[in-house]
Amino acid sequence: MGCKTSSTPMEPNLKLCSHEGKDLEEETMYRQLVGSLIYLTLTKSDIALFAVGVIIGYFDADYAGDHDTRKSTTGYVFILGSAAISWCSKRQPSVSLSTTEAEYRARTMAAQESTWLKQLMKDLHQPSKDIIPLYFDNLSAKQIKTEEQVADIFTKSLVNMKFIRFQEALGMIERENKVGVEGEC
């Protein structure tokens, strides 16, 4: 009741350092909660049957985003119908020497997850595409506009408008009805 609201979970363009902030007091409960949410998104039949066979994935990397270790962050999300069913935001295990290398590492992680998801759909007797399209916004291999890269929500702090648009795209919040009145000046 007495909490302060925030339009985004992080300040836009914020860079975190390991010597700042404080540790979670109850990390076990947090991990159990996150695990339960992931389990629900993968096993809830109304999500799985909403749009059978239509899975797409987005991935991105934040090159050398960790100021302490210079490691990059990988982020990906897979969407079934209008809901995110699998996502990740994880520091890469080693330092990448270029943005392209960081993007290739992110692509590899996303490809591994798409392979696992295809097998999961098969195990659940749900038809799916043979190939899951993966979208990214790396300059050396541009395939999707940066403004449409929903995986940025896992690798960067975003301005409020972009954060809300990506939450809507991931099915985390309901889309707002944007009704305009024509003819008014």
Side-chain angles (χ1 to χ4, degrees):
M1 295 291 290
C3 67
K4 295 179 183 177
T5 61
S6 176
S7 58
T8 61
M10 291 175 47
E11 176 184 324
N13 303 314
L14 175 69
K15 297 294 181 182
L16 300 175
C17 296
S18 63
H19 62 276
E20 296 175 353
K22 61 179 184 175
D23 293 338
L24 287 174
E25 292 178 17
E26 186 59 48
E27 69 182 57
T28 303
M29 187 172 78
Y30 173 77
R31 287 180 180 168
Q32 289 173 340
L33 177 63
V34 170
S36 297
L37 290 172
I38 291 170
Y39 176 79
L40 282 175
T41 61
L42 291 174
T43 60
K44 188 82 169 125
S45 61
D46 59 335
I47 293 173
L49 297 175
F50 181 73
V52 174
V54 182
I55 300 177
I56 60 170
Y58 297 90
F59 71 89
D60 196 19
D62 181 21
Y63 172 65
D66 185 323
H67 285 277
D68 296 317
T69 65
R70 303 303 294 160
K71 291 182 179 178
S72 303
T73 303
T74 291
Y76 64 73
V77 62
F78 288 88
I79 299 171
L80 178 64
S82 63
I85 60 165
S86 178
W87 58 89
C88 174
S89 178
K90 184 177 183 179
R91 186 179 307 142
Q92 294 180 354
S94 59
V95 176
S96 297
L97 301 177
S98 67
T99 57
T100 302
E101 183 180 350
E103 291 284 338
Y104 276 122
R105 289 174 192 260
R107 175 187 286 233
T108 300
M109 286 180 66
Q112 289 171 334
E113 185 69 6
S114 72
T115 302
W116 183 83
L117 285 170
K118 285 191 296 188
Q119 185 60 48
L120 176 66
M121 294 295 284
K122 183 178 175 184
D123 292 347
L124 295 173
H125 306 289
Q126 298 297 319
S128 66
K129 294 180 179 180
D130 289 335
I131 297 174
I132 297 175
L134 292 174
Y135 297 101
F136 55 96
D137 64 356
N138 182 279
L139 293 177
S140 63
K142 196 117 178 151
Q143 188 173 356
I144 187 171
K145 295 178 185 173
T146 298
E147 296 79 29
E148 298 170 1
Q149 180 51 282
V150 296
D152 279 353
I153 203 168
F154 300 108
T155 60
K156 300 170 181 65
S157 54
L158 305 169
V159 295
N160 184 36
M161 197 164 93
K162 197 175 214 181
F163 181 73
I164 290 171
R165 190 170 72 243
F166 288 170
Q167 282 183 307
E168 289 173 346
L170 293 171
M172 296 167 67
I173 59 173
E174 255 185 67
R175 295 184 189 273
E176 293 181 16
N177 292 333
K178 295 182 171 95
V179 179
V181 179
E182 294 183 346
E184 289 188 12
C185 295

